Amino acid sequence: MTLLKSAFIGALLLSTSGAFAQEVTLRFQHFVSPASANPKHFMQPWADKVEADSGGRIKVELYPFMQLGGGAAEMYDLIADGAVDGGWVIPGYQPGRFPEAEALELPFMVTKSGEEASMAAWDFTQEHLMDDFADVHLLAAHMHGPGIVHKTGPGIQAVSDFEGLNLRGPSRAATLFLDKLGANPIGMPVPAFPEALSKGVLDGGVITYEMSPSLKLDELTDSHTDVAGEKSLYNLFFIWAMNKDSYAALPDDLKAVIDANSGAMASAWAGRAHDTGDKEGRQVLVDAGNELAEISAETTAQMVALGDEVIAEWIADVTAKGLDGAGLVASARAQVAANRLPAN
């Protein structure tokens, strides 16, 4: 073999090897502490699995606390516009933009299992929301565990205990329900919650057990109240998404890695992450000596009736805007019923 031919073959092999070993770095952003449940039990393990499944050819960098810029309410547009390659979105942080997703966030709509709620959320998203999220490449749709009332002073025992309380709400559906209960709801992204509590702007708010440690709710609030029964007081809908161009630029075999870590599997995984975090967060509150309360079945029934009023008003509102409000609620309930896990 001539020296020239050997050099050509060597160059070809090097080129082929270099193409195979192509490395891609994807920058994903979120707005909470890396020690909170979703980043700890879903985002980072997801990133690690994508890297392992790609043989190291994809690296996912996670940036907490919006370190790459923007606010939590801007996450969908940051992903769609390519400011980041991907990230975590709460559509409810932009009230009115994704109204169909609100059906899952209505009072007592989903069970207290984040995993069950997330499986229902993925199926509901496939049925109703893909056009809403057409500007991004959807990886997962999920929900957290049960929403809890965290407040200064004693826990909630009666509906009248909500009267006049300034309570943080994460979404339009949640604030509508808090208002129906007699509270003064204040819509607020999660990063602003601790400061508002520490300054006395709020008496408390609704959020999960799992966010309690990172938000210092064991120090800033005294009581943490859940409702009776298997349904959650409220819940919040999330998506885990990529920029469409970032996904399209991947070679087919790396797209396949992303695809294999997307969809129903990833959605259920994200929900389980919140369930795990809820157990950890609840224990922090127990260890702090705070009051963990549960509203009686009788009072919960009164709250469910008020929640039904919120649902009826929501149906009328979105129907007037051209959506099938009753159909969306019926579909959400059907997906929740269809995605129950076997009892342990």
Side-chain angles (χ1 to χ4, degrees):
M1 182 182 294
T2 66
L3 183 61
L4 181 61
K5 187 174 182 180
S6 296
F8 173 76
I9 292 173
L12 181 62
L13 290 172
L14 182 61
S15 174
T16 303
S17 174
F20 181 76
Q22 176 185 359
E23 293 186 359
V24 177
T25 298
L26 300 174
R27 302 188 309 162
F28 276 60
Q29 178 167 256
H30 63 87
F31 40 85
V32 296
S33 165
S36 58
N38 195 288
K40 180 180 177 182
H41 298 298
F42 171 67
M43 294 182 198
Q44 189 59 59
W46 183 90
D48 294 342
K49 188 171 186 297
V50 166
E51 183 170 354
D53 290 355
S54 69
R57 294 171 61 206
I58 300 176
K59 179 175 178 57
V60 180
E61 295 178 346
L62 297 176
Y63 292 86
F65 299 123
M66 302 301 291
Q67 290 174 339
L68 298 178
E74 302 171 87
M75 270 305 306
Y76 183 86
D77 292 311
L78 291 171
I79 297 169
D81 295 341
V84 294
D85 295 304
W88 201 34
V89 179
I90 296 178
Y93 278 1
Q94 294 183 300
R97 184 171 181 180
F98 306 103
E100 292 168 292
E102 293 175 351
L104 290 163
E105 299 178 333
L106 291 166
F108 300 99
M109 181 60 66
V110 301
T111 70
K112 292 180 179 179
S113 163
E115 183 176 3
E116 289 182 348
S118 296
M119 293 189 299
W122 176 255
D123 289 343
F124 183 89
T125 298
Q126 295 299 293
E127 186 176 356
H128 298 288
L129 304 179
M130 295 307 290
D131 287 346
D132 289 8
F133 302 133
D135 297 323
V136 300
H137 180 77
L138 195 65
L139 303 173
H142 73 93
M143 306 191 81
H144 56 48
I148 307 297
V149 183
H150 307 264
K151 62 182 286 291
T152 56
I156 299 290
Q157 295 184 350
V159 173
S160 59
D161 291 342
F162 284 98
E163 189 68 35
L165 293 178
N166 294 321
L167 297 179
R168 175 259 180 187
S171 65
R172 192 172 84 95
T175 56
L176 288 172
F177 189 34
L178 290 173
D179 181 68
K180 182 69 70 173
L181 291 168
N184 300 318
I186 300 174
M188 183 180 297
V190 65
F193 189 21
E195 184 177 5
L197 277 170
S198 65
K199 290 183 175 180
V201 174
L202 296 174
D203 299 301
V206 293
I207 203 166
T208 54
Y209 281 128
E210 57 98 350
M211 288 300 298
S212 300
S214 62
L215 298 179
K216 299 187 182 302
L217 297 185
D218 53 320
E219 302 173 15
L220 295 171
T221 60
D222 304 304
S223 63
H224 318 273
T225 306
D226 195 4
V227 293
E230 64 179 9
K231 293 293 183 70
S232 178
L233 172 71
Y234 86 98
N235 207 304
L236 197 57
F237 176 82
F238 304 77
I239 61 171
W240 182 238
M242 269 187 78
N243 173 264
K244 294 185 78 169
D245 291 338
S246 296
Y247 175 81
L250 297 173
D252 287 346
D253 61 332
L254 295 188
K255 284 192 182 83
V257 170
I258 297 295
D259 294 346
N261 289 283
S262 301
M265 175 275 284
S267 300
W269 186 0
R272 285 195 303 275
H274 288 277
D275 291 336
T276 300
D278 279 340
K279 294 175 184 176
E280 296 171 349
R282 190 178 190 281
Q283 189 59 49
V284 168
L285 300 174
V286 170
D287 293 344
N290 289 14
E291 178 191 359
L292 272 71
E294 182 176 282
I295 296 172
S296 69
E298 181 181 11
T299 298
T300 298
Q302 295 171 6
M303 294 172 66
V304 169
L306 292 171
D308 287 342
E309 292 181 17
V310 171
I311 292 171
E313 291 165 7
W314 181 87
I315 289 173
D317 178 52
V318 300
T319 299
K321 296 174 181 176
L323 298 175
D324 179 10
L328 289 165
V329 168
S331 178
R333 285 175 168 154
Q335 295 294 2
V336 169
N339 281 284
R340 299 301 304 270
L341 294 167
N344 292 330

